[in-house]
Amino acid sequence: MGAAKNIWALANAEDEANVAEQIPYSSFVVDTSLPLPLMIPRIIELCKDLFKNWRDLDDSLFSVERVSGGITNLLLKVSVKEDTDKQVSVTVRLYGPNTEYVINREREILAIKYLSAAGFGAKLLGGFGNGMVQSFIYARTLEPSDMREPKIAAEIAKELGKFHKVDIPGSKEPQLWVDIFKFYEKASTLRFEEPDKQKLFETISFEELHKEIIELREFTGLLNAPVVFAHNDLLSGNLMLNDEEEKLYLIDFEYGSYNYRGFDIGNHFNEYAGYDCDYSMYPTKEEQYHFIKHYLQPDKPDEVSIAEVESVFVETDAYKLASHLYWAIWAIIQARMSPIEFEYLGYFFLRYNEYKKQKPLTFSLVTSHLSASV
């Protein structure tokens, strides 16, 4: 796991901001295919290897439970009784197999320390061969329906606005089309062992898909959308809320990169539909305006001009199409590489069909807006 170790060495490198303490690294690799009872001893061994003050503790003082398993990673909560009165909990995040095909881990790890210093997500505590350890967040994970609650939507908008102001060292070039073309190159050359999957895969016209990518890249380029450090995956599962403290957390920055502002907001609106892609749940224009106002000016949302809100609304509507293409092509790769039980190829068609359904409406909206702005 030399490459992983090199990444963590970079994360510990001296920098001007001096935002992170030395982050411990272990060469341990945890087999994610193991059932949890067989995985637990390895997790305990890993934690003892990473954290010196736990090395002499008896294994009976550790408890490990599964927190969640999305369609990329496995999350485990490790609780440790350090003494009779004190219990400490951390989150162990195990990367899903083959996720390097769709996630730039180096980019993620180098960004996390700056985001953590700015108050976003869980604190990074350590790294290992196929994952990381972070502080445990005492909050509930949101459901798609939560995101449309006006108060929660306003808080998400406020937090996203602050997130977009974080300065991450390195290139500020937007990565949207770089990543989409990388996904496309990988997806278009795949072959599936299962005959049914291969047959379904062969119904995808990659020539058509390539033309759509080129056309949309040129079309969205007309908007000159601002570039920010974007989350890029702001679905309900990456939002947590402590109801008692009324504190919202943006978590999991695996797909984070410099990107177009409209993509991050448009992608978030697409996620109102959930994994089932029920696009009847896509936010109404009124709900989008509510979000955009709080994003632009959280303290005085009603003082934002209608012209400014409309401009962001149009920008967002254009980039929601890019979100559909991004995750549609991503799903093709996951269908071949991921061991997780999920209908990834079906997900491709749900996203791509919605893209084609929305494209004429969005193109008309954007064209009219640009014409009126001349």
Side-chain angles (χ1 to χ4, degrees), residues 200-217:
L200 188 57
F201 173 76
E202 289 173 359
T203 67
I204 300 170
S205 172
F206 282 95
E207 182 180 357
E208 175 189 289
L209 196 53
H210 191 267
K211 288 179 180 177
E212 295 293 344
I213 295 169
I214 296 293
E215 183 181 9
L216 187 61
R217 181 182 63 175

Side-chain angles (χ1 to χ4, degrees), residues 53-239:
N53 57 321
W54 291 354
R55 287 178 186 171
D56 295 329
L57 296 178
D58 190 87
D59 287 4
S60 63
L61 298 176
F62 291 76
S63 65
V64 181
E65 60 184 292
R66 183 168 179 157
V67 177
S68 69
I71 56 174
T72 305
N73 299 311
L74 172 64
L75 296 180
L76 301 173
K77 178 184 178 183
V78 179
S79 299
V80 188
K81 289 185 179 179
E82 292 186 330
D83 55 47
T84 53
D85 300 318
K86 185 179 179 183
Q87 179 170 292
V88 177
S89 296
V90 297
T91 300
V92 175
R93 182 154 66 113
L94 296 165
Y95 303 148
N98 303 317
T99 50
E100 68 274 8
Y101 286 96
V102 291
I103 295 170
N104 184 328
R105 293 294 180 192
E106 183 174 345
R107 187 168 72 190
E108 175 196 10
I109 291 168
L110 292 178
I112 279 179
K113 60 179 183 177
Y114 293 93
L115 294 168
S116 178
F120 291 101
K123 185 178 180 182
L124 182 60
L125 303 176
F128 56 99
N130 62 330
M132 63 177 68
V133 181
Q134 295 174 285
S135 60
F136 186 80
I137 295 176
Y138 292 90
R140 68 179 177 91
T141 302
L142 296 190
E143 298 292 334
S145 58
D146 290 320
M147 300 193 300
R148 68 186 324 115
E149 292 291 329
K151 187 176 180 180
I152 294 177
E155 193 61 27
I156 295 170
K158 177 183 175 181
E159 287 299 302
L160 187 60
K162 290 192 291 185
F163 188 93
H164 284 171
K165 291 181 175 68
V166 178
D167 180 38
I168 307 295
S171 172
K172 303 292 194 287
E173 290 298 312
Q175 295 300 298
L176 175 61
W177 302 110
V178 174
D179 288 344
I180 284 181
F181 277 110
K182 282 182 181 177
F183 289 178
Y184 175 85
E185 291 300 323
K186 289 170 183 171
S188 60
T189 58
L190 294 174
R191 286 199 65 81
F192 291 83
E193 295 175 1
E194 304 94 325
D196 289 347
K197 282 188 177 181
Q198 180 62 28
K199 187 175 180 180
L200 188 57
F201 173 76
E202 289 173 359
T203 67
I204 300 170
S205 172
F206 282 95
E207 182 180 357
E208 175 189 289
L209 196 53
H210 191 267
K211 288 179 180 177
E212 295 293 344
I213 295 169
I214 296 293
E215 183 181 9
L216 187 61
R217 181 182 63 175
E218 293 177 354
F219 187 73
T220 54
L222 299 173
L223 290 165
N224 295 314
V227 175
V228 297
F229 190 83
H231 186 286
N232 294 325
D233 190 24
L234 206 58
L235 74 168
S236 61
N238 287 337
L239 291 160

Side-chain angles (χ1 to χ4, degrees), residues 276-338:
D276 295 333
C277 297
D278 179 4
Y279 290 106
S280 68
M281 302 303 291
Y282 192 84
T284 64
K285 186 172 183 177
E286 182 182 8
E287 288 172 327
Q288 292 178 66
Y289 268 37
H290 172 76
F291 185 97
I292 292 167
K293 285 179 181 178
H294 285 84
Y295 170 86
L296 291 172
Q297 203 163 315
D299 296 330
K300 298 179 180 179
D302 293 330
E303 294 184 11
V304 183
S305 70
I306 293 298
E308 190 175 4
V309 175
E310 180 70 15
S311 179
V312 177
F313 168 76
V314 171
E315 173 194 323
T316 296
D317 207 68
Y319 279 98
K320 80 178 182 187
L321 294 181
S323 162
H324 285 310
L325 286 184
Y326 182 98
W327 294 111
I329 304 170
W330 167 91
I332 300 172
I333 300 170
Q334 292 288 72
R336 177 65 182 83
M337 302 298 178
S338 177

